[in-house]
Amino acid sequence: MDYQAILNIIEKELESFEDEGKVADYIPELAFVPSDKFGMHLHCIDGGDYSFGNSDEKFSIQSISKVFSLALAKKHGSKIWKRVDVEPSGDPFNSLTQLEKEKGIPRNPFINAGALVIADILVSCLDNPKKDLLDFVRLIAQDDDIHYDEKVASSEKKHGYRNIALVNYMKALGNINNDVDDILDFYFYQCSISMSCHQLAKAFMIFANEGRIMGTEEKAIKSNSTKRINAIMQTCGFYDEAGEFSFRVGLPGKSGVGGGIVAIHPHQYAVAVWSPLLNEKGNSEKGMRALEELTTLTGLSIF
Amino acid sequence: MDYQAILNIIEKELESFEDEGKVADYIPELAFVPSDKFGMHLHCIDGGDYSFGNSDEKFSIQSISKVFSLALAKKHGSKIWKRVDVEPSGDPFNSLTQLEKEKGIPRNPFINAGALVIADILVSCLDNPKKDLLDFVRLIAQDDDIHYDEKVASSEKKHGYRNIALVNYMKALGNINNDVDDILDFYFYQCSISMSCHQLAKAFMIFANEGRIMGTEEKAIKSNSTKRINAIMQTCGFYDEAGEFSFRVGLPGKSGVGGGIVAIHPHQYAVAVWSPLLNEKGNSEKGMRALEELTTLTGLSIF
Amino acid sequence: MDYQAILNIIEKELESFEDEGKVADYIPELAFVPSDKFGMHLHCIDGGDYSFGNSDEKFSIQSISKVFSLALAKKHGSKIWKRVDVEPSGDPFNSLTQLEKEKGIPRNPFINAGALVIADILVSCLDNPKKDLLDFVRLIAQDDDIHYDEKVASSEKKHGYRNIALVNYMKALGNINNDVDDILDFYFYQCSISMSCHQLAKAFMIFANEGRIMGTEEKAIKSNSTKRINAIMQTCGFYDEAGEFSFRVGLPGKSGVGGGIVAIHPHQYAVAVWSPLLNEKGNSEKGMRALEELTTLTGLSIF
Amino acid sequence: MDYQAILNIIEKELESFEDEGKVADYIPELAFVPSDKFGMHLHCIDGGDYSFGNSDEKFSIQSISKVFSLALAKKHGSKIWKRVDVEPSGDPFNSLTQLEKEKGIPRNPFINAGALVIADILVSCLDNPKKDLLDFVRLIAQDDDIHYDEKVASSEKKHGYRNIALVNYMKALGNINNDVDDILDFYFYQCSISMSCHQLAKAFMIFANEGRIMGTEEKAIKSNSTKRINAIMQTCGFYDEAGEFSFRVGLPGKSGVGGGIVAIHPHQYAVAVWSPLLNEKGNSEKGMRALEELTTLTGLSIF
């Protein structure tokens, strides 16, 4: 498969894409990002790298970080599934309604409530939660030039009323063990990680490659875990648009409000795309389109 | 009307009442209250006082305080009704679901979310919110022996995750102006006020008497305000059991999880009853029954 | 109290009322009614009649009929309250959501689902349900010139998909005993009754007069029943605007999508008003305003 | 891959499976089925057939038929996606709540509401809807011994109040074009189709084989359609347990309350399993377990 040729077609086709999306503006740091950024990077299981545009420029990965924290919790053998479910939510990512109906058990680890429970789990089992998470991401990406963005983290903290509400609500319902401030501090840092498409594609290879780190072939997590995490990405990776992504793209993936999307084709490749303009469900409009083109042009998806 | 004779009948009849309620246990201070406390006090517009049992013993008035804070906000001429609605909620008192659907506008000022918005309003317009509220309650009850219970207030603060969630959530939705901690501090103190049935009945006479304070005849609030506040008590005073109370008792009233209930018959009397065992909706089981007996035995309700 | 003078003021004041409401259009028969119809009739407990405008013209009473069917079910001693609750719904009148959450038990007898359960009860206990209901209404209004409107009834049947859905859904949940077609036939006829403000005010006097029929003083229903029915009108008579009506008007009442509203002041009067333009909650915009003026000008409400 | 050996292991392992499920009892015809029936059939893309137990015995396929009707609607080029969404529902299969919130557009074609819209579409575009659907199923299964079960169909009709409610409700909301009785008649027949695991596995090969019918290699539907239908099966095939199935099994599939489940591994195989005892979400308890074992033992899923 000539991935570079395919990426070139995608880049060209989307030059004239009429993007009706909007940059996320709930924190100023995200609103400042130029809306015309566009990059894509595909890392193949044979080691090949293919890309275009701003694929080496870092951006705020936001919710994509939820896949890393879940993987790290699994790596530490944590009991997760009594405290978080694995069902799609059918509601916006920061909804409190379902939480009320379901007694504090979030629908899945990729909505904010679920990610906060995972954060609680990590705060319990890690010695230095923030350092340990960053080390894990650097390890699987085989790249030490990955950092938290302090400005983004502190801005999230300043405007994070809804997440404060979520974690306090779950505390009231008995599904939070640690101090809420510790959890929120960790969570806001986690979301602030900056990475490029290139780095994300490499890091996500563990999910395409049965848990093995590209290059070293070291097992970062069990292959059994990657199967499960991929399944959750498939059904829950795009908030209340998970079905639409599955329908159009046909790959497990995860998006973030920074405009990034990562998807994987098991045993084939991991691919990351970045375009900051979001549709009304909070997913990158052009990013989804680029990935739809990818599976259409390759003729291959998991289905 | 021989109110004392009627109260005596009620006391006697309810001696053998099989109470299946439970003491509120969400903070230890409430759980410690002996469950067999039972008192009632009726203050008539002609100045007569009628009572039985533990009617002079103080208890935590909890949500009954929401009527005082609403009255104080009205007294200060605050614009309220763009930020809080006047519809019954049909949901438990601390529900977040409706708030989500209705964009941060609480259904009414007597559910927790609504009372927190009123607290925000008072924090904005009062010089010394806590002192001013207490002064107002003492004024309308014509009794200076009314105090905050520091232990209860600090215990509420320690276990108040759900209220923290509510106020942060409304802040996220743009319906909170002040610092959330200031509002919560005021709110937890407000709920901790200790009063006896006797004191409550006297204080609530302003609602039975077109805003006039008993004894002084001074107008504490406008008669127009009492009409409105009574209407809200009628439709929203008992969480998701407002219809049941209206149906069985037929008077405007307000309950608190400390086991108190106050009701008024406009132009006739105010009555307070206290029994700590709560039914599953959070209202005093025996208290509701006592008030039902009252309107049955007098043959008079507002309907 | 010079009621006629007060009504004259109301009529005059509302001449220039800017009505932003819309005529109900879900069946053509309602859409045809001229939108500028406006009439009001107050019947006093001393027998006095006061009115203005189109107060003797008949219109489709629609949901106002739910009060009659409830009263008739109570008169027949039916067990009602295990199958219908008495809580305000907080949702639009034809919502299915609450029904699902609450296992087929409608919130109250004045939303469509609840009225359909009452219809089921009447179909079970009456020999000639349609004839018996009409006889009852004629009796309490002391007026035989009250009829079903066949055109309206058959039009309702033709467009009644939502009511068909409601009754089938409750049948599935076990809260309907009779054949759904029999219930719907009765229900659509019930809603089609045509009455004038004058007739409605007279008929509703049983609720203002402890169950007694004006003129004959015969007890149509027990005074205990009127207390309960008035309480339900107070908390549930205006769909998800019950609190607003209670807040502004301060009387128990019931509205219909034909533009009619009836309200009662216990031991004082019954009053009916008609103006076809409805606000977005389905209640007559000008009718609500006229009643608000009435309690403001008389200075009297139940609160 | 020695599929027969793997199936033998599964059969043996599940001999002692403690099944806490219950036979569907909403119609008598399903309740009569012996609860210990258990069969499985895997049809491989190379033409191989592997099976155990009651794999050749017919049972009521129920909701599995929704995949056939969707495929037939796609084959006829119908515009579907403006009238049905492709998102997981997160609610039980026969919920009306979401329908209300989302104005009559069902979440996906595999909940009852969605399947009723597909039925409406087929009633519009087919000459003989019932005959045409059966012909289509016989064609793709390459087996003429497939029939409707008249008894089941008429029993469904007799007890189908909830489906009657759903279709009337959507009619009220403008998303149903044909007469509701015609749609329901078609729908109840569709659900009554009887097929064996063997027949189901063969029929579902079109979804594993890019739309081609096994044996003839004729294209029954476009490969683009199979990709989309598989994606919907993945995210919506198991009501509010779609995430759990995806998580444990990792294949697109569809269940029915008759106890059947079909799953496919694209480009590999289609597999059907049957065990009538259902878990509380309405999916075959032992069937899910058998499929989980299959992907665990083969080490292969789509993830």
Side-chain angles (χ1 to χ4, degrees):
Chain A
M1 188 78 65
D2 185 348
Y3 288 120
Q4 189 59 50
I6 288 170
L7 262 64
N8 292 345
I9 295 171
I10 295 170
E11 185 183 18
K12 195 153 177 65
E13 275 191 8
L14 296 186
E15 256 172 23
S16 58
F17 181 68
E18 283 186 34
D19 202 328
E20 299 183 337
K22 287 181 189 160
V23 172
D25 58 359
Y26 75 101
I27 58 169
E29 280 63 24
L30 294 182
F32 293 156
V33 178
S35 67
D36 60 352
K37 293 290 180 183
F38 186 36
M40 192 167 185
H41 190 104
L42 185 152
H43 189 83
C44 191
I45 198 155
D46 66 11
D49 279 298
Y50 312 96
S51 62
F52 66 71
N54 309 111
S55 61
D56 278 312
E57 192 167 324
K58 289 180 188 177
F59 58 92
S60 193
I61 68 167
Q62 296 289 322
S63 288
I64 297 171
S65 68
K66 293 169 182 170
V67 189
F68 295 140
S69 61
L70 175 61
L72 187 54
K74 285 306 297 173
K75 182 188 174 68
H76 280 265
S78 306
K79 300 260 179 223
I80 292 174
W81 309 121
K82 298 223 169 221
R83 295 179 57 192
V84 193
D85 206 345
V86 295
E87 293 300 325
S89 83
D91 271 319
F93 64 97
N94 47 18
S95 170
L96 282 96
T97 297
Q98 255 170 356
L99 216 45
E100 181 156 21
K101 208 166 60 183
E102 288 161 18
K103 308 195 165 145
I105 307 298
R107 272 292 171 96
N108 65 66
F110 293 159
I111 52 173
N112 287 16
L116 285 160
V117 170
I118 301 296
D120 184 39
I121 287 169
L122 290 177
V123 167
S124 290
C125 75
L126 299 179
D127 291 330
N128 300 295
K130 282 192 275 192
K131 181 177 178 303
D132 294 350
L133 176 66
L134 201 55
D135 285 348
F136 176 71
V137 177
R138 288 169 172 177
L139 173 72
I140 60 174
Q142 292 284 297
D143 191 334
D144 281 350
D145 186 21
I146 296 171
H147 309 275
Y148 292 121
D149 183 326
E150 300 278 345
K151 264 194 191 167
V152 169
S154 75
S155 193
E156 301 254 19
K157 192 170 296 189
K158 223 164 101 187
H159 297 85
Y161 299 111
R162 206 185 269 252
N163 286 313
I164 300 173
L166 282 168
V167 74
N168 275 286
Y169 191 46
M170 290 189 290
K171 182 95 179 175
L173 293 168
N175 198 17
I176 289 293
N177 298 327
N178 294 284
D179 188 89
V180 297
D181 288 332
D182 293 346
I183 296 163
L184 287 164
D185 180 63
F186 175 75
Y187 179 73
F188 291 137
Y189 268 86
Q190 160 194 328
C191 291
S192 82
I193 295 175
S194 273
M195 291 174 76
S196 67
C197 290
H198 189 157
Q199 291 172 327
L200 279 168
K202 283 184 70 183
F204 267 70
M205 280 307 295
I206 64 166
F207 304 108
N209 194 18
E210 302 193 345
R212 284 184 217 95
I213 297 166
M214 281 303 288
T216 75
E217 295 303 296
E218 180 196 342
K219 275 268 188 184
I221 50 171
K222 292 187 203 159
S223 57
N224 187 41
S225 292
T226 62
K227 173 186 166 186
R228 311 278 172 163
I229 293 173
N230 291 349
I232 303 172
M233 279 199 265
Q234 186 75 34
T235 47
C236 316
F238 294 82
Y239 315 123
D240 44 343
E241 201 174 31
E244 182 75 12
F245 187 82
S246 186
F247 182 78
R248 284 170 48 193
V249 178
L251 296 177
K254 184 76 201 80
S255 68
V257 292
I261 304 179
V262 194
I264 58 142
H265 194 163
H267 311 295
Q268 310 281 343
Y269 60 74
V271 60
V273 61
W274 174 44
S275 166
L277 296 173
L278 309 179
N279 65 20
E280 57 182 14
K281 307 280 183 162
N283 300 310
S284 171
E285 181 112 347
K286 189 147 63 169
M288 282 185 70
R289 183 62 181 275
L291 292 169
E292 187 180 3
E293 287 296 300
L294 177 65
T295 54
T296 302
L297 291 169
T298 60
L300 291 175
S301 74
I302 61 169
F303 297 121
Chain B
M1 190 78 65
D2 185 349
Y3 287 120
Q4 189 58 52
I6 288 170
L7 261 63
N8 293 345
I9 295 171
I10 295 170
E11 183 184 20
K12 195 153 176 65
E13 274 191 8
L14 295 187
E15 257 171 23
S16 57
F17 181 69
E18 283 185 34
D19 202 329
E20 299 183 338
K22 288 183 189 159
V23 172
D25 58 0
Y26 75 100
I27 58 169
E29 280 62 26
L30 293 181
F32 293 156
V33 178
S35 67
D36 59 352
K37 294 290 181 185
F38 186 36
M40 192 166 184
H41 189 104
L42 184 151
H43 188 83
C44 190
I45 198 156
D46 66 12
D49 279 297
Y50 313 95
S51 63
F52 66 71
N54 310 110
S55 62
D56 277 312
E57 192 167 324
K58 289 179 186 176
F59 59 91
S60 193
I61 68 167
Q62 296 290 321
S63 287
I64 296 172
S65 68
K66 293 169 181 170
V67 189
F68 296 140
S69 61
L70 175 61
L72 187 55
K74 286 306 297 174
K75 182 187 174 70
H76 280 265
S78 306
K79 300 261 180 223
I80 293 174
W81 309 120
K82 298 224 169 221
R83 296 180 55 193
V84 193
D85 206 344
V86 296
E87 294 301 325
S89 84
D91 271 318
F93 65 97
N94 47 20
S95 169
L96 282 97
T97 298
Q98 254 170 357
L99 216 46
E100 180 156 21
K101 207 165 60 185
E102 288 160 18
K103 305 189 170 151
I105 307 299
R107 272 291 170 99
N108 64 67
F110 293 160
I111 51 171
N112 287 17
L116 285 161
V117 170
I118 301 296
D120 184 40
I121 288 169
L122 290 177
V123 167
S124 290
C125 75
L126 299 179
D127 291 329
N128 300 296
K130 283 193 276 191
K131 181 177 178 303
D132 295 350
L133 175 66
L134 200 55
D135 286 348
F136 176 70
V137 177
R138 287 170 172 176
L139 172 72
I140 60 174
Q142 291 285 296
D143 190 335
D144 282 350
D145 186 22
I146 295 172
H147 309 275
Y148 292 121
D149 183 327
E150 299 278 344
K151 263 195 192 167
V152 168
S154 76
S155 193
E156 301 254 20
K157 192 170 295 188
K158 225 165 98 187
H159 297 86
Y161 299 110
R162 207 185 269 252
N163 286 313
I164 301 173
L166 281 168
V167 74
N168 275 286
Y169 190 47
M170 290 189 291
K171 183 94 180 177
L173 293 168
N175 198 17
I176 289 293
N177 298 328
N178 293 285
D179 188 89
V180 296
D181 288 332
D182 293 346
I183 296 163
L184 287 164
D185 181 63
F186 175 75
Y187 179 73
F188 291 137
Y189 267 86
Q190 161 193 327
C191 291
S192 83
I193 296 176
S194 272
M195 290 174 77
S196 67
C197 288
H198 190 156
Q199 291 172 326
L200 279 168
K202 283 185 70 183
F204 267 69
M205 280 308 294
I206 63 167
F207 304 108
N209 195 18
E210 301 191 348
R212 285 185 215 94
I213 296 168
M214 281 304 288
T216 73
E217 296 302 296
E218 180 197 342
K219 275 269 189 183
I221 51 172
K222 292 188 203 159
S223 57
N224 187 41
S225 292
T226 63
K227 172 186 166 186
R228 310 278 172 163
I229 293 173
N230 291 348
I232 303 172
M233 279 199 265
Q234 187 73 35
T235 46
C236 316
F238 294 82
Y239 314 124
D240 44 343
E241 201 174 31
E244 182 75 13
F245 187 82
S246 186
F247 181 78
R248 284 170 48 192
V249 177
L251 296 176
K254 184 74 201 80
S255 67
V257 292
I261 303 179
V262 194
I264 58 143
H265 193 164
H267 311 297
Q268 310 280 344
Y269 60 75
V271 60
V273 61
W274 175 44
S275 165
L277 296 173
L278 309 178
N279 66 19
E280 56 182 12
K281 306 281 183 163
N283 299 311
S284 172
E285 181 112 347
K286 189 148 63 169
M288 281 185 72
R289 182 64 180 274
L291 292 168
E292 186 180 3
E293 287 296 299
L294 178 65
T295 54
T296 302
L297 290 169
T298 59
L300 292 176
S301 74
I302 60 169
F303 297 121
Chain C
M1 189 78 64
D2 185 349
Y3 287 120
Q4 188 58 51
I6 288 170
L7 262 62
N8 292 344
I9 296 171
I10 295 170
E11 185 184 19
K12 196 154 177 63
E13 276 191 8
L14 296 187
E15 256 170 23
S16 57
F17 181 69
E18 284 185 34
D19 203 328
E20 299 183 338
K22 288 183 188 157
V23 172
D25 58 1
Y26 74 101
I27 58 169
E29 280 63 25
L30 294 182
F32 293 155
V33 177
S35 67
D36 59 352
K37 294 289 179 184
F38 185 36
M40 192 167 183
H41 189 104
L42 185 151
H43 188 82
C44 191
I45 198 155
D46 65 12
D49 278 297
Y50 312 96
S51 62
F52 67 71
N54 310 110
S55 62
D56 278 312
E57 191 167 326
K58 289 179 187 177
F59 58 91
S60 193
I61 69 168
Q62 295 290 321
S63 288
I64 296 172
S65 68
K66 293 169 181 170
V67 189
F68 296 140
S69 61
L70 175 61
L72 187 55
K74 286 306 296 173
K75 182 187 175 68
H76 279 266
S78 306
K79 300 259 179 224
I80 292 174
W81 310 120
K82 298 222 170 221
R83 296 179 55 193
V84 193
D85 206 344
V86 296
E87 293 302 325
S89 84
D91 271 318
F93 65 96
N94 47 18
S95 169
L96 282 97
T97 297
Q98 255 170 356
L99 215 46
E100 180 156 20
K101 207 166 61 185
E102 288 160 20
K103 305 191 171 149
I105 306 299
R107 271 292 171 97
N108 64 66
F110 294 159
I111 52 172
N112 288 16
L116 285 162
V117 170
I118 301 297
D120 185 39
I121 287 170
L122 290 177
V123 167
S124 290
C125 75
L126 299 179
D127 291 329
N128 299 295
K130 283 192 275 191
K131 180 177 179 303
D132 294 350
L133 176 66
L134 200 56
D135 286 348
F136 176 70
V137 176
R138 288 169 172 177
L139 173 72
I140 61 175
Q142 291 284 298
D143 190 335
D144 282 350
D145 185 22
I146 295 172
H147 309 275
Y148 292 120
D149 183 327
E150 299 278 344
K151 263 194 192 168
V152 169
S154 75
S155 193
E156 301 254 19
K157 193 169 296 188
K158 223 164 101 188
H159 297 85
Y161 298 111
R162 206 184 268 254
N163 287 312
I164 300 173
L166 282 168
V167 74
N168 275 286
Y169 191 46
M170 291 189 290
K171 182 95 180 176
L173 293 168
N175 198 18
I176 289 293
N177 297 327
N178 293 285
D179 188 89
V180 297
D181 288 332
D182 293 346
I183 297 163
L184 288 164
D185 180 63
F186 175 76
Y187 179 73
F188 290 138
Y189 267 86
Q190 160 193 329
C191 291
S192 83
I193 295 175
S194 271
M195 290 174 76
S196 68
C197 289
H198 190 157
Q199 291 171 327
L200 279 168
K202 284 185 69 184
F204 267 70
M205 280 307 295
I206 64 167
F207 304 108
N209 195 18
E210 302 192 347
R212 284 184 217 95
I213 296 167
M214 282 303 288
T216 74
E217 295 304 295
E218 180 196 343
K219 275 268 188 184
I221 50 171
K222 293 188 203 159
S223 57
N224 187 41
S225 291
T226 62
K227 172 185 165 188
R228 310 279 171 163
I229 293 173
N230 291 349
I232 303 172
M233 280 199 265
Q234 187 73 36
T235 46
C236 316
F238 295 81
Y239 315 123
D240 44 343
E241 200 174 32
E244 182 75 14
F245 187 82
S246 186
F247 182 78
R248 284 170 49 192
V249 178
L251 297 177
K254 184 74 201 82
S255 67
V257 292
I261 303 180
V262 194
I264 58 143
H265 194 163
H267 311 295
Q268 310 280 344
Y269 61 74
V271 61
V273 61
W274 175 44
S275 166
L277 295 173
L278 309 179
N279 65 20
E280 56 182 14
K281 307 280 183 162
N283 300 311
S284 170
E285 181 111 348
K286 189 149 63 169
M288 282 186 70
R289 182 61 180 276
L291 293 168
E292 187 180 3
E293 286 297 299
L294 176 66
T295 54
T296 303
L297 291 169
T298 60
L300 292 175
S301 74
I302 61 170
F303 297 121
Chain D
M1 189 79 65
D2 185 349
Y3 287 120
Q4 188 58 52
I6 287 171
L7 262 64
N8 292 345
I9 295 171
I10 294 171
E11 184 183 19
K12 193 152 179 65
E13 276 192 8
L14 295 187
E15 256 171 23
S16 57
F17 181 69
E18 284 186 32
D19 202 329
E20 299 183 337
K22 288 182 188 158
V23 172
D25 58 0
Y26 75 101
I27 58 167
E29 280 63 27
L30 293 182
F32 292 156
V33 177
S35 67
D36 60 352
K37 294 289 179 184
F38 186 36
M40 191 167 185
H41 189 104
L42 185 152
H43 189 83
C44 191
I45 198 156
D46 66 11
D49 279 297
Y50 312 95
S51 63
F52 67 71
N54 309 110
S55 62
D56 277 312
E57 192 167 325
K58 289 178 187 175
F59 58 91
S60 193
I61 68 167
Q62 296 290 321
S63 288
I64 297 172
S65 68
K66 293 169 180 169
V67 189
F68 295 140
S69 61
L70 175 61
L72 187 55
K74 287 306 296 174
K75 182 187 175 68
H76 280 265
S78 307
K79 299 259 180 225
I80 292 174
W81 309 120
K82 297 224 170 220
R83 295 179 56 193
V84 193
D85 206 345
V86 296
E87 292 302 325
S89 85
D91 271 319
F93 64 97
N94 47 19
S95 170
L96 282 97
T97 298
Q98 256 171 355
L99 216 45
E100 181 155 20
K101 208 165 60 185
E102 288 160 19
K103 306 192 170 149
I105 306 299
R107 272 293 170 95
N108 65 66
F110 293 160
I111 51 172
N112 287 15
L116 284 161
V117 170
I118 301 297
D120 185 40
I121 288 170
L122 290 177
V123 167
S124 290
C125 75
L126 299 180
D127 292 328
N128 300 294
K130 282 193 277 192
K131 181 176 178 304
D132 294 351
L133 176 66
L134 200 56
D135 286 349
F136 176 70
V137 176
R138 286 170 173 178
L139 172 73
I140 61 175
Q142 291 285 296
D143 190 336
D144 282 350
D145 186 23
I146 296 172
H147 310 275
Y148 291 121
D149 183 325
E150 300 278 344
K151 265 194 191 167
V152 168
S154 75
S155 193
E156 301 254 19
K157 192 170 295 188
K158 224 164 99 187
H159 298 85
Y161 298 111
R162 207 184 268 252
N163 287 312
I164 300 174
L166 282 168
V167 75
N168 275 285
Y169 191 47
M170 290 189 290
K171 182 95 180 176
L173 294 168
N175 198 17
I176 290 293
N177 298 328
N178 294 284
D179 187 90
V180 296
D181 289 332
D182 292 346
I183 297 163
L184 287 164
D185 180 63
F186 175 75
Y187 180 72
F188 290 138
Y189 266 85
Q190 161 193 327
C191 291
S192 82
I193 295 175
S194 272
M195 290 174 77
S196 67
C197 289
H198 190 155
Q199 291 172 326
L200 279 168
K202 284 184 69 182
F204 267 70
M205 281 307 294
I206 64 166
F207 305 107
N209 194 19
E210 301 192 347
R212 285 186 216 93
I213 296 168
M214 282 302 288
T216 74
E217 296 302 296
E218 181 196 342
K219 274 267 188 185
I221 51 172
K222 292 188 204 159
S223 56
N224 187 40
S225 292
T226 63
K227 173 185 165 186
R228 308 280 172 162
I229 293 174
N230 291 348
I232 303 172
M233 280 198 265
Q234 186 74 35
T235 47
C236 316
F238 294 82
Y239 315 125
D240 43 343
E241 200 174 32
E244 182 75 13
F245 187 82
S246 187
F247 181 77
R248 284 169 49 192
V249 177
L251 296 177
K254 185 74 201 80
S255 67
V257 292
I261 303 179
V262 194
I264 57 142
H265 194 164
H267 310 296
Q268 311 280 344
Y269 60 75
V271 60
V273 60
W274 176 43
S275 165
L277 295 173
L278 309 179
N279 65 20
E280 57 182 13
K281 306 280 183 161
N283 299 310
S284 172
E285 182 111 347
K286 190 149 61 169
M288 282 185 70
R289 183 62 180 277
L291 292 169
E292 187 180 3
E293 287 297 300
L294 177 66
T295 54
T296 302
L297 291 169
T298 60
L300 291 175
S301 74
I302 61 169
F303 298 121

